[in-house]
Amino acid sequence: MTDNLLWYDEPARIWTDALPLGNGRLGGMVFGGVENDRVQINESTFWSGGPYNSVNPDAFAHLDEVRQAIFAGRYREAEAMASAHLMAKPLKQMSYQPVGDLLLSLEHEGPAASYRRALNLDAAIATCEYDVGEVHFQRETFADSVDGVLVLKLSASRPGSISLRLGLTSPQSGLVHSGGDTRLELLGMGKPEHGVAAALHFALALRVQAKGGTTGRTGDEIRVENADEVVVLLDAATNFVRFDDVSGDPVLRVAERLDRASSQSFERLRARHMTEHRRLFRSFALDLGSTAAALQPTDRRIAGFGQAPDPALAALYVQYGRYLAISSSRPGTQPANLQGIWNDEVDPPWGSKYTANINLQMNYWLAAPANLAECLEPLVALAEDLALSGRETARVHYNARGWVLHHNTDLWRATAPIDGPQWGLWPMGGVWLMVQLLDVCDYLDDADAMRARLLPLARGAAEFILDVLVPLPGTDYLVTNPSLSPENLHPGGTSICAGPAMDNQLLRDFFVLLRPLAAEAGEAELVAALDETARRLPPDRIGASGQLQEWLDDWDMQAPEIHHRHVSHLYGLYPSWQIDPGETPALAEAARRSLEIRGDDATGWGIGWRINLWARLRDGDHAFEVLKLLLSPERSYRNLFDAHPPFQIDGNFGGAAGILEMLVQSSPRELSLLPALPSVWPDGKLTGLRIRGGATLDLEWSDATPCKVKIFTSHGGEWLIRFGNSRARVNLKAGEARSLTYRGAAFMESNIP
């Protein structure tokens, strides 16, 4: 059976071959070696540095002169002044860190044969098996989502066949401590970075339970000889409590979890883990058909996706994205960063931080429609933290109320502009988070409760933006200044500008989403300010080449990087619904022209965004051609991680979301079935897709036409369903389901259960 399975006929050679496990907090990369194996360990709260404040007290005094230089067209001068006076101190943020490694050295009496390693997405278990002579060896590893520890079991078909040494190592400063013949503990310290002292220390510990044979110590290793089976329990923790609190006890945390896990059998740990994982994973299913290609190892399927049909690999890619979301973003954990929770470098690319000008948001495009609302909780908690830490940045840098997030943050919730003006001087990160979270409420059963939770955060983000918008000289418009269209240079020789298209699109969505909440809360003054400001936002503009303008000026065709990876000005097409082929055909055609100019190939996440954009333009075959770029050896590693390159997880989430967008589009106006179905997927089935209005959709199609449609809601509602030119309106009471068929170019109710 190949459904929901990644498998290989050789061990991992490099880190991006290894298979990821995670319970939201604890991550492991399993290599599956025969004589030597490695499980690389991460813990979501282990970062460099410690609590710090990155605001620059000189910023506000120079803000107006930077604004005036931008309005006067002196862009390079504005960038130089911003670099000297407006940026964060320190200029860089902290980085996500690896904790260490579990190393296994196994003794065998000959070479291995019939090797196979796999990751079962449905069970969230990585396996490795092979034969040595007449003995069959097997390993099972999982990141327990109930008891919170990593569990590894080694077994063999003949008693007394397992002999190995186990050790712990770390790239951090630390020492291994003995706990007798069955326990190891590595205690270590994080690293300082960019002038910020290290405040985090960690514990990495394991316990070994052997059946049969003998267990003892050899130096800093545990040695097991001639055992029938061996179970290893591992955990890691830090002293992190909150972005401003590091008073936790990692040794106690690890001991408590390992004590609890040690009191249970492997079978019970495994069963509880699978039950909890499947509670989320089995809420959704997708079948796009299958071919003989699905019988091949996963790496060969990736290599052949562009040459031979393999619709099952596209379905697997969606489920892999869902698996990664469950594994890297659970309630009570940190949100998924640039690499989810998996990183083996002490100096990771871009710090493996939270980049809020696309990447953080893309990490959560998949969760709501893929029936994983629980996985959104860490993003909400992040926004709540940022609404606290971002107030100081708003006050000191802009003399503004509310809170701000620029283009990056880290574990310590730093919010000031970092790296340099070209990338960091973009004040819309908090607004985009609020837009995304307010919008996603429409998919939830408890939408009102979530909106009430978000209202104070959204109010703060609105207060900031209302204070910092400034008049565009010679017009009645209000614009952001300084800002930029992430992270694209314009002909002025820099990215710094005023009022880029993306900012205006974001603000239009933000005001539309916030206004009814503010009105319901009786905040008349805020409602009036939103209305007046919305009226003065610059509209989208179509340039001389027929493209949607990225800037207020028609600069697109003169920009230094005409094929830039970002497509920020197309936010209005996706994830927003401001641009739609049916509602705004001229703007949709301009967006199409922009996409044609920009090109399909980009970084992994850039390709993921483009899939969604072409889907919104209802061009399924073009969207599929872009998907072929993503599911290629150049953009997908052998373990299906997105190859930016290097690895970034946002491409996985963005690409998976794009596949769903090809099949179903749930807009605020209607539910569109198969709007961008590629010709290569004429038949298929999905169950458990979440749609706006807090409902669940099951859909089956044949010959590119819906044949079974079912909608269920726990609280009632009304939906306008569309396929092609046909429409049907469905009204449901709380707890009611409705089934439809499509015959003769019309929807009709059916008795389909």
Side-chain angles (χ1 to χ4, degrees), residues 34-48:
V34 174
E35 295 180 347
N36 296 286
D37 199 5
R38 173 189 178 197
V39 183
Q40 186 264 318
I41 304 298
N42 288 101
E43 207 275 352
S44 68
T45 66
F46 189 52
W47 291 61
S48 64

Side-chain angles (χ1 to χ4, degrees), residues 55 243 384-394 403-404 409 412-415:
V55 299
F243 69 91
E384 289 172 330
D385 285 350
L386 293 168
L388 298 175
S389 63
R391 285 189 174 274
E392 181 73 356
T393 306
W403 63 278
V404 62
T409 190
W412 310 111
R413 307 315 190 227
T415 58

Side-chain angles (χ1 to χ4, degrees), residues 635-701:
R635 288 293 178 262
S636 289
Y637 290 113
R638 287 157 52 94
N639 67 357
L640 266 183
F641 271 174
D642 169 61
H644 179 285
F647 164 52
Q648 276 189 203
I649 203 168
D650 37 32
N652 288 102
F653 294 131
I659 293 170
L660 297 187
E661 201 69 22
M662 295 160 75
L663 304 176
V664 176
Q665 292 177 14
S666 179
S667 81
R669 296 177 290 274
E670 65 183 14
L671 175 65
S672 182
L673 306 180
L674 310 178
L677 183 72
S679 55
V680 293
W681 301 339
D683 308 310
K685 180 180 180 181
L686 62 81
T687 59
L689 185 81
R690 292 292 290 186
I691 59 176
R692 292 179 183 275
T696 304
L697 173 74
D698 297 344
L699 171 65
E700 188 171 344
W701 66 95

Side-chain angles (χ1 to χ4, degrees), residues 697-740:
L697 173 74
D698 297 344
L699 171 65
E700 188 171 344
W701 66 95
S702 179
D703 293 327
T705 303
C707 51
K708 297 179 182 179
V709 183
K710 182 178 180 181
I711 299 178
F712 169 80
T713 175
S714 62
H715 52 77
E718 180 179 273
W719 289 265
L720 179 64
I721 305 176
R722 171 189 175 189
F723 172 69
N725 294 321
S726 301
R727 286 172 170 80
R729 193 170 297 277
V730 175
N731 289 279
L732 296 179
K733 299 176 182 178
E736 188 179 7
R738 185 72 51 82
S739 295
L740 305 172

Side-chain angles (χ1 to χ4, degrees), residues 490-511:
H490 57 69
T494 176
S495 63
I496 293 180
C497 66
M502 184 192 208
D503 289 10
N504 303 318
Q505 294 168 357
L506 279 167
L507 290 175
R508 283 194 287 273
D509 274 354
F510 184 37
F511 294 169

